[in-house]
Amino acid sequence: MVAESRFSPHPRTHPRNSSNLRTNRSFCRPGTHRGNSSPKECRFTDIISIGIGGSALGPQFVTQALSPDLPPLQIHFIDNSDPTGIDRVLAQLGDKLATTLVLVISKSGGTPEPRNGMIEVKQAYTAQKLDFAKYAVAITGQDSNLDKVAKAENWLARFSMYDWVGGRTSEMSAVGLVPAALQGIDIRAMLDGAKEMDDATRVPNLKNNPAALLALAWYFSGNGKGEKDMVVLPYKDSLLLFSRYLQQLIMESLGKEKDLDGKTVFQGIAVYGNKGSTDQHAYVQQLREGVPNFFATLIEVLEDRQGTSVEVDPGVTSGDYLCGFLLGTRQALYENNRDSITVSIPQVNARTVGALIALYERAVGLYASLINVNAYHQPGVEAGKKAAAVILDLQKRVLEVLQTQKKALSISELADMSGAAEEVEAIYKILRHLHTNNRGVVLTGDFAKPGSLTVSLG
Ligand SMILES: O=P(O)(O)OC[C@H]1O[C@](O)(CO)[C@@H](O)[C@@H]1O
């Protein structure tokens, strides 16, 4: 899918993308089923996919939406720097690591979370006397740090990402297509659906352009200032992660302080939601009667299921109920002057999911043009990353000071000696974290009164 014509090359260059996939996929033939595969055909049973943000949300959404009930390879995600989360994935796999492929996905190849995940997973392979390089695949920008590591260590495969593909618009690149193909998902159909939508959303007549209609509806509803939140309610379990995927696509793209002229605009649209009808029993009460600060997007899937349905009442199926809940909620919102948009798809399949992704990618680009912001950078996230690096540096400095001390110090003494008198609270939190995790820092005193605490190395 081409996200935004200003940033993407001509479609003629796309075959390079698929040849990238074709030449690299020999490490494991997708679609080979576990039950009848010989070790030669595919020695893997599972995948660990390590990535965050745009390098995780698309693959997670597509897995939930499209992965077959018995996929050829079962995928597990590590999308955080949470040690417990990493442990859980590794514990679930146990001695199956020997047949587990690892995808390390990071456009920049320098994001700390996937780097940490990769190091921890590598360590787990080493502990089982497995050569990590024989299991590891990198999906990253050319010559990124990750690319260099993968090249130097001779990993199983490397897929390169084009610079013009943004992280949050990368689902139709190797980032999304490799994990999807390995799970037996029809990636050609995904690309076909995205292509169809790409064509449909290049139409200059706005009334016939679904992405333009969507962008204009967002603009109308929130006054072009994001005054209303976007509540996304797909009435289908398999689309549960769509709102989470859209959260990044929309909020990271549109949530900007400055417009393209450098004017302070504080733009954005807040996105949340899970699924209908489940959310009707959670927060739809507020949507109907509470603060009118949202518009709803209802995703309607026409096909209930493959095969026939039992009747839960005479002449009525569960699917009829779901359809009734969607239409009923829409009506109830309308009656109370709450806006809603309904997007209908015939069924959840690779083609419609590809089309949905392409639709929203294009709508975001068009809406960004309407409000005059750059949808394709994320300066705010960079600020958060820098601030986290400052905290880790402070931790280092504090530990260095403690190493020189024979007697326990108060936290404010330690802050002074570390040249960070203003950072007493941050230092308290760092120390408490190290203390809790038995990292050689001993805090003594009343934790409810940080001023009473003394600290030393244990
Ligand atoms: O793929 P990368 O470079 O690891 O980045 C992961 C995510 O981090 C961000 O750069 C900032 O959150 C996202 O835009 C991106 O999707």
Side-chain angles (χ1 to χ4, degrees):
M1 164 60 188
V2 182
E4 220 290 318
S5 53
R6 269 185 302 154
F7 290 87
S8 50
H10 190 273
R12 261 204 305 270
T13 59
H14 287 190
R16 281 171 61 201
N17 203 7
S18 36
S19 76
N20 183 12
L21 287 178
R22 224 176 299 120
T23 46
N24 268 311
R25 72 179 186 176
S26 52
F27 63 82
C28 181
R29 244 164 253 148
T32 309
H33 282 266
R34 261 182 286 185
N36 39 21
S37 65
S38 75
K40 251 190 192 163
E41 279 174 310
C42 183
R43 60 189 171 103
F44 299 112
T45 57
D46 293 75
I47 306 165
I48 299 177
S49 181
I50 306 175
I52 195 166
S55 295
L57 291 161
Q60 287 168 330
F61 162 51
V62 166
T63 296
Q64 174 96 3
L66 299 176
S67 191
D69 295 339
L70 288 173
L73 303 184
Q74 188 80 44
I75 196 161
H76 313 258
F77 290 98
I78 293 178
D79 65 353
N80 199 355
S81 191
D82 175 10
T84 320
I86 297 172
D87 287 350
R88 173 169 286 191
V89 168
L90 291 173
Q92 281 164 352
L93 285 161
D95 56 14
K96 277 208 292 177
L97 275 195
T99 57
T100 299
L101 182 73
V102 181
L103 304 179
V104 186
I105 311 179
S106 174
K107 182 188 173 187
S108 62
T111 307
E113 291 90 338
R115 175 190 158 276
N116 298 350
M118 187 266 281
I119 291 171
E120 292 219 13
V121 168
K122 187 175 182 180
Q123 161 69 27
Y125 275 77
T126 308
Q128 292 195 16
K129 302 204 176 347
L130 299 168
D131 178 1
F132 181 67
K134 294 203 166 70
Y135 297 82
V137 173
I139 302 173
T140 186
Q142 224 162 7
D143 294 328
S144 72
N145 281 345
L146 172 59
D147 196 38
K148 285 178 189 152
V149 169
K151 198 169 174 186
E153 295 180 358
N154 197 20
W155 286 16
L156 195 55
R158 289 183 293 130
F159 292 86
S160 58
M161 282 181 73
Y162 292 109
D163 196 42
W164 54 266
V165 176
R168 52 189 172 274
T169 51
S170 63
E171 179 48 33
M172 292 296 159
S173 75
V175 169
L177 297 180
V178 172
L182 288 168
Q183 293 175 81
I185 293 168
D186 184 350
I187 59 169
R188 290 203 181 281
M190 279 176 72
L191 288 167
D192 287 347
K195 164 93 176 69
E196 266 179 68
M197 186 58 76
D198 183 46
D199 292 341
T201 55
R202 285 176 186 269
V203 171
N205 181 343
L206 299 185
K207 284 189 185 155
N208 295 329
N209 180 329
L213 290 173
L214 210 48
L216 287 168
W218 299 350
Y219 192 97
F220 170 79
S221 207
N223 256 332
K225 295 188 182 125
E227 286 168 9
K228 300 265 172 90
D229 300 345
M230 183 189 302
V231 181
V232 181
L233 284 177
Y235 278 69
K236 197 46 99 184
D237 289 1
S238 62
L239 297 181
L240 172 72
L241 296 183
F242 192 45
S243 56
R244 222 168 131 195
Y245 166 77
L246 288 182
Q247 211 164 44
Q248 186 206 18
L249 177 64
I250 294 173
M251 295 179 75
E252 202 168 65
S253 301
L254 303 177
K256 300 291 154 68
E257 182 174 339
K258 305 278 181 197
D259 72 5
L260 289 170
D261 304 319
K263 228 172 81 197
T264 301
V265 286
F266 298 122
Q267 275 289 359
I269 301 177
V271 179
Y272 65 94
N274 298 295
K275 65 176 179 178
S277 70
T278 311
D279 289 3
Q280 277 176 230
H281 301 273
Y283 57 79
V284 169
Q285 162 65 29
Q286 175 168 325
L287 298 192
R288 172 71 170 45
E289 296 184 355
V291 50
N293 61 349
F294 73 93
F295 63 96
T297 302
L298 310 170
I299 314 273
E300 177 188 29
V301 182
L302 299 180
E303 182 186 80
D304 288 340
R305 59 154 57 97
Q306 296 194 340
T308 53
S309 290
V310 295
E311 292 183 0
V312 292
D313 289 326
V316 180
T317 66
S318 300
D320 296 340
Y321 265 95
L322 193 64
C323 175
F325 290 141
L326 184 155
L327 296 176
T329 297
R330 195 168 79 137
Q331 180 67 19
L333 292 175
Y334 175 73
E335 282 167 3
N336 239 11
N337 298 317
R338 270 66 170 167
D339 296 334
S340 73
I341 298 165
T342 304
V343 176
S344 300
I345 57 175
Q347 63 174 189
V348 178
N349 59 35
R351 194 177 136 265
T352 54
V353 166
L356 266 182
I357 291 169
L359 171 67
Y360 276 83
E361 282 187 359
R362 179 59 44 79
V364 164
L366 292 176
Y367 184 83
S369 302
L370 285 175
I371 60 169
N372 194 36
V373 301
N374 179 357
Y376 303 102
H377 71 351
Q378 51 282 333
V381 188
E382 305 307 326
K385 283 184 191 168
K386 281 189 192 134
V390 169
I391 294 288
L392 288 169
D393 181 61
L394 184 60
Q395 172 172 318
K396 212 167 120 207
R397 271 160 48 209
V398 160
L399 287 174
E400 279 165 7
V401 171
L402 280 175
Q403 265 153 13
T404 66
Q405 297 304 302
K406 294 218 167 60
K407 66 172 185 63
L409 299 173
S410 73
I411 296 179
S412 54
E413 282 171 333
L414 178 57
D416 283 344
M417 292 172 77
S418 307
E422 307 283 293
E423 304 296 339
V424 185
E425 197 218 357
I427 291 173
Y428 162 65
K429 287 189 173 293
I430 289 168
L431 294 172
R432 191 178 56 176
H433 176 250
L434 294 172
H435 170 88
T436 308
N437 289 284
N438 302 319
R439 301 276 306 287
V441 167
V442 181
L443 279 173
T444 315
D446 183 352
F447 275 75
K449 295 182 189 140
S452 75
L453 293 172
T454 59
V455 56
S456 59
L457 290 185

